[in-house]
Amino acid sequence: MNIIASECAVQKHHPEWSNVYNTTFIRWTTHSPPGLSEKDVVMARFCDEKAVECGEAVTEGVEEKGIGRELADRVAVEGGDCCVPKGKGSL
């Protein structure tokens, strides 16, 4: 996370992320334009490259099993829009 945080400061682009034990979830999204921007794609690629360099990337069998797509779809649905304030009762 420190490697990514340093690059975030350089790029002036920050993700929504969480880290639990040995798993880090990073979600790149942009307020304007809505959805994904070029910076989101560049930073996601940077994260993937650093994960490989650190020996932390899980690549074997991910696409064949559909894990990557399934996880991305689930996070998108469950996460909602990170830029929209949540109601008091949603915590």
Side-chain angles (χ1 to χ4, degrees):
M1 288 181 80
N2 290 333
I3 294 168
I4 305 306
S6 295
E7 185 65 15
C8 290
V10 170
Q11 297 294 328
K12 294 181 175 45
H13 194 61
H14 304 275
E16 176 182 332
W17 60 6
S18 66
N19 182 49
V20 178
Y21 182 56
N22 65 351
T23 303
T24 301
F25 291 98
I26 304 173
R27 180 179 176 190
W28 294 101
T29 188
T30 303
H31 308 267
S32 179
L36 292 177
S37 69
E38 182 66 25
K39 276 190 173 182
D40 296 321
V41 174
V42 167
M43 288 303 297
R45 188 171 294 125
F46 178 83
C47 291
D48 288 346
E49 290 168 0
K50 295 305 167 188
V52 169
E53 288 175 19
C54 293
E56 297 295 332
V58 177
T59 57
E60 290 185 25
V62 171
E63 288 306 318
E64 296 86 39
K65 294 178 185 175
I67 295 170
R69 171 58 57 193
E70 179 184 314
L71 179 59
D73 290 344
R74 189 179 60 159
V75 168
V77 169
E78 292 176 7
D81 186 348
C82 69
C83 305
V84 176
K86 307 286 190 264
K88 291 182 180 177
S90 66
L91 295 176

